[in-house]
Coordinates of all heavy atoms in Angstrom, one line a residue:
Chain B
T52 N -10.8 -0.6 -18.8 CA -12.1 0.0 -18.8 C -12.5 0.3 -17.3 O -11.8 -0.2 -16.4 CB -13.1 -1.0 -19.4 OG1 -13.0 -2.2 -18.7 CG2 -12.9 -1.1 -20.9
I53 N -13.5 1.1 -17.1 CA -13.8 1.6 -15.8 C -14.6 0.6 -15.1 O -15.5 -0.1 -15.6 CB -14.6 2.9 -16.0 CG1 -13.7 4.0 -16.6 CG2 -15.1 3.4 -14.6 CD1 -14.5 5.1 -17.3
D54 N -14.2 0.4 -13.8 CA -14.8 -0.6 -12.9 C -15.4 0.2 -11.7 O -15.0 1.3 -11.3 CB -13.8 -1.5 -12.4 CG -14.4 -2.6 -11.5 OD1 -14.9 -3.5 -12.0 OD2 -14.3 -2.4 -10.3
V55 N -16.5 -0.4 -11.1 CA -17.1 0.3 -9.9 C -16.1 0.7 -8.9 O -16.1 1.8 -8.3 CB -18.2 -0.6 -9.3 CG1 -18.9 0.2 -8.2 CG2 -19.1 -1.0 -10.4
S56 N -15.1 -0.2 -8.6 CA -14.2 0.0 -7.5 C -13.2 1.2 -7.8 O -12.4 1.5 -7.0 CB -13.4 -1.2 -7.2 OG -12.6 -1.6 -8.3
N57 N -13.3 1.7 -9.0 CA -12.4 2.9 -9.3 C -13.0 4.2 -8.8 O -12.4 5.2 -8.7 CB -12.3 3.1 -10.8 CG -11.7 1.9 -11.5 OD1 -11.9 1.6 -12.6 ND2 -10.7 1.2 -10.8
L58 N -14.4 4.1 -8.6 CA -15.1 5.4 -8.3 C -14.8 6.0 -7.0 O -15.2 7.1 -6.8 CB -16.6 5.1 -8.5 CG -17.0 4.5 -9.9 CD1 -18.6 4.3 -9.9 CD2 -16.6 5.4 -11.0
N59 N -14.1 5.3 -6.1 CA -13.8 6.0 -4.9 C -12.6 6.9 -5.0 O -12.3 7.6 -4.0 CB -13.5 5.0 -3.8 CG -12.1 4.4 -3.9 OD1 -11.5 4.3 -5.0 ND2 -11.5 4.1 -2.7
R60 N -12.0 7.0 -6.2 CA -10.9 7.9 -6.3 C -10.7 8.5 -7.7 O -10.1 9.5 -7.9 CB -9.6 7.2 -5.9 CG -9.3 6.0 -6.7 CD -8.2 5.1 -6.0 NE -7.8 4.0 -6.8 CZ -8.5 2.9 -7.0 NH1 -9.7 2.8 -6.5 NH2 -8.0 2.0 -7.8
Q61 N -11.2 7.8 -8.7 CA -10.9 8.3 -10.1 C -12.0 9.2 -10.5 O -13.0 8.8 -11.1 CB -10.7 7.1 -11.0 CG -9.5 6.3 -10.5 CD -9.3 4.9 -11.2 OE1 -9.8 4.7 -12.3 NE2 -8.6 4.1 -10.6
F62 N -11.8 10.5 -10.1 CA -13.0 11.4 -10.1 C -13.5 11.8 -11.5 O -14.5 12.4 -11.6 CB -12.7 12.7 -9.3 CG -11.8 13.7 -10.0 CD1 -12.5 14.9 -10.4 CD2 -10.6 13.4 -10.4 CE1 -11.7 15.8 -11.1 CE2 -9.9 14.4 -11.1 CZ -10.4 15.6 -11.5
L63 N -12.8 11.5 -12.5 CA -13.3 11.8 -13.9 C -14.3 10.8 -14.4 O -14.9 11.0 -15.4 CB -12.1 11.9 -14.9 CG -11.0 12.9 -14.6 CD1 -9.9 12.9 -15.6 CD2 -11.6 14.4 -14.6
F64 N -14.5 9.8 -13.5 CA -15.5 8.8 -13.9 C -16.6 8.7 -13.0 O -16.6 8.9 -11.8 CB -14.7 7.3 -13.9 CG -13.5 7.3 -14.6 CD1 -12.4 6.5 -14.1 CD2 -13.2 8.0 -15.7 CE1 -11.2 6.4 -14.6 CE2 -12.0 7.9 -16.4 CZ -11.0 7.1 -15.8
Q65 N -17.9 8.4 -13.6 CA -19.0 8.2 -12.9 C -19.6 6.9 -13.1 O -19.3 6.2 -14.0 CB -20.0 9.3 -13.2 CG -19.6 10.7 -13.0 CD -20.4 11.8 -13.7 OE1 -21.6 11.5 -13.9 NE2 -19.8 12.8 -14.1
K66 N -20.7 6.6 -12.3 CA -21.3 5.3 -12.4 C -21.7 4.9 -13.8 O -21.5 3.8 -14.3 CB -22.5 5.2 -11.5 CG -22.8 3.8 -11.0 CD -23.6 3.9 -9.7 CE -23.4 2.6 -9.0 NZ -24.0 2.6 -7.7

Side-chain angles (χ1 to χ4, degrees):
Chain B
T52 53
I53 296 158
D54 182 83
V55 185
S56 65
N57 301 146
L58 302 181
N59 80 327
R60 60 194 187 283
Q61 300 174 16
F62 82 109
L63 297 177
F64 311 143
Q65 297 165 32
K66 204 156 207 175

